[in-house]
Every structure is written in C-alpha cells, then in structure tokens.
Amino acid sequence: MAISGYILAGLGGLAVGGFLNVIVTRLSQAEPGGRNRYRCLQCHRPLPWAYLIPLLGYAWWRGCCPFCGEPRPRRGPAVELASGLLGLALWWRFPGSALLWVYGPFVAALLVLSVLDLEYYWLPDLITLPGTALGLAAALIFPQLDFLKALLGAAVGYTFFQGVRWTYLKITRGKRQGLGAGDAKLAAFIGAVLGFQALPWVLFSSAVLGSLAGLVVAWQSVEGRFASFPYGPFLAMGALLFFFFKF
C-alpha cells in the first residue's frame, strides 16, 4: 500500500505538471490561443495527444515539433519532472493526510510562480491573493492549523517585504527597482499557509540563496552589481525547505 501510494503520488505529480505548464502558458500568453493544450510556436499546429504524455512525449520526439522540427521549450519537461518529484515529497511528508488538499495547491502554486518570475519577472495577484485566502481559510477549517499564526504570518510577511521595498526605493530615489510588489504578496501567501513561525527560516534561507545567485549573476553580467534577477523563486525555495524539513 505504501509503495502504491508513492507510485500514484509520483504519476499524479507528473500529470499535474502538464496542467501547470498550461497555466503558465495561458497566464503569460506566450503561445497562440486555441482549444488544444499545446501548439507549436513555429507552425502553430496542434501537437498530437501523445506529446502530452508527461516527459515521455517530449523525449519521444526529442523535444521537437513532429511537424516542422522546431525545438520545444525545455520548460515543459522541467516543470513536469519538478511536479512529479514534489508529488512524491508531499506523499512522503503527509501520506494520506487531508492537509494535502491545502498543501498540494500550495506547492503547485509555488512552482508556477517560480517559473513565471524566472521567465517574465512576474508574480501574478491571480495566484498569490487567492493563495493567501486559501491559507487563512484552511487555518479556520483544519484543527491542526492555527489561524492566528496564519493571519500573523500573512501580515508580517507582506509588511516586512513592503518595508524593504519602500526603503530601497527611498535610498535610490526611485532610480532602481529592488523587490517588487509581487514579492511582498508571495511572502504573505507563504506566511498564511505555513504560519508566522516559518518566516524567519524562509527569509534567512531565501536571502542566502538569493545572495549566492546574485553574486553569480553579477559576475556573469555586463551590468555587474546592478544586474537584476527575480527573487520570487528563492522565496519559494526557502518555503519548500521549511515545509519539507522543518514544518
């Protein structure tokens, strides 16, 4: 039973990953519209159903459109693989728990937000605001959760990042953009789901990971220390580290 649970969780995660790719595509409007889930960016022809099989479809056609040979974005299989691994991790951490109805969407949302921020520097309110509401509502419904901690986590997470953002804008006199408003809303989302106690760990770990990435970006970029990069994925990684190993 335990092994079958992991198998179902992994396969379910892969399937959800395909759906998350659709969400990223529709939100970013990076591909032409239509009823088909995927279309080729070059010839705009709908891809066959077999291409939609997570990982296998991409591998079978070697990542290219079967009609025109145009390479497909690598983001698709990367998201599917990440979603499958997160599905396994969720089952390992909360096997058969009713809380998976909350934590499953939470982890999936963090994955989508990370992809959108990496590709488009965008953390849409369409995900962060309902996610915050979901965290607060779940804290009222599930007795294992604490509503006060969730409410405090959302408020402190948002206020802290808004304060950092406002301070940076004042120091630079608005000439340079530091943290975006979306980062503050993402912090509120994380605080609402994981509670106030998660914020110190999330803030510290995301700052360390972001600083290391910033050094690499500054070293490789012609802009040097003024090079910009999205911070949302590091907040998401800090939240996932706490969620799976400290929560």
Side-chain angles (χ1 to χ4, degrees):
M1 181 66 181
I3 296 177
S4 63
Y6 280 106
I7 293 174
L8 291 175
L11 293 177
L14 289 174
V16 169
F19 177 67
L20 298 183
N21 274 319
V22 175
I23 293 177
V24 171
T25 298
R26 295 295 172 84
L27 286 176
S28 64
Q29 297 182 345
E31 296 184 6
R35 295 182 180 180
N36 196 273
R37 289 177 62 187
Y38 290 101
R39 290 177 180 268
C40 175
L41 291 173
Q42 182 66 28
C43 66
H44 304 321
R45 295 181 66 176
L47 298 175
W49 67 268
Y51 204 104
L52 306 182
I53 301 175
L55 297 181
L56 296 180
Y58 187 91
W60 181 261
W61 278 283
R62 298 181 181 179
C64 296
C65 172
F67 303 112
C68 68
E70 177 74 9
R72 294 285 298 165
R74 294 181 180 178
R75 177 245 293 162
V79 170
E80 291 168 354
L81 178 59
S83 180
L85 293 175
L86 288 171
L88 289 172
L90 278 168
W91 190 260
W92 163 73
R93 187 65 180 82
F94 301 97
S97 173
L99 289 173
L100 289 174
W101 291 104
V102 178
Y103 296 145
F106 170 65
V107 169
L110 290 182
L111 180 55
V112 170
L113 289 167
S114 296
V115 173
L116 288 171
D117 207 17
L118 282 171
E119 292 192 9
Y120 306 103
Y121 289 81
W122 181 40
L123 296 169
D125 293 351
L126 187 62
I127 297 177
T128 54
L129 297 185
T132 303
L134 171 66
L136 296 175
L140 287 173
I141 296 172
F142 292 94
Q144 305 96 313
L145 304 179
D146 189 317
F147 178 75
L148 182 59
K149 289 182 178 179
L151 182 62
L152 195 59
V156 173
Y158 179 81
T159 303
F160 176 81
F161 274 91
Q162 275 292 75
V164 172
R165 179 170 177 263
W166 179 83
T167 302
Y168 186 82
L169 288 174
K170 285 293 184 181
I171 293 174
T172 61
R173 298 181 181 179
K175 295 180 180 180
R176 292 194 174 274
Q177 179 69 36
L179 292 171
D183 295 307
K185 296 172 186 176
L186 174 56
F189 174 31
I190 293 171
V193 175
L194 299 184
F196 172 76
Q197 72 277 7
L199 290 180
W201 170 270
V202 173
L203 296 178
F204 174 76
S205 57
S206 64
V208 172
L209 294 170
S211 298
L212 293 175
L215 290 174
V216 174
V217 171
W219 179 60
Q220 294 182 341
S221 174
V222 294
E223 298 178 10
R225 64 190 180 94
F226 294 113
S228 61
F229 64 96
Y231 192 70
F234 302 103
L235 272 175
M237 283 191 286
L240 290 176
L241 286 173
F242 179 87
F243 178 69
F244 286 116
F245 301 108
K246 295 287 185 180
F247 197 32

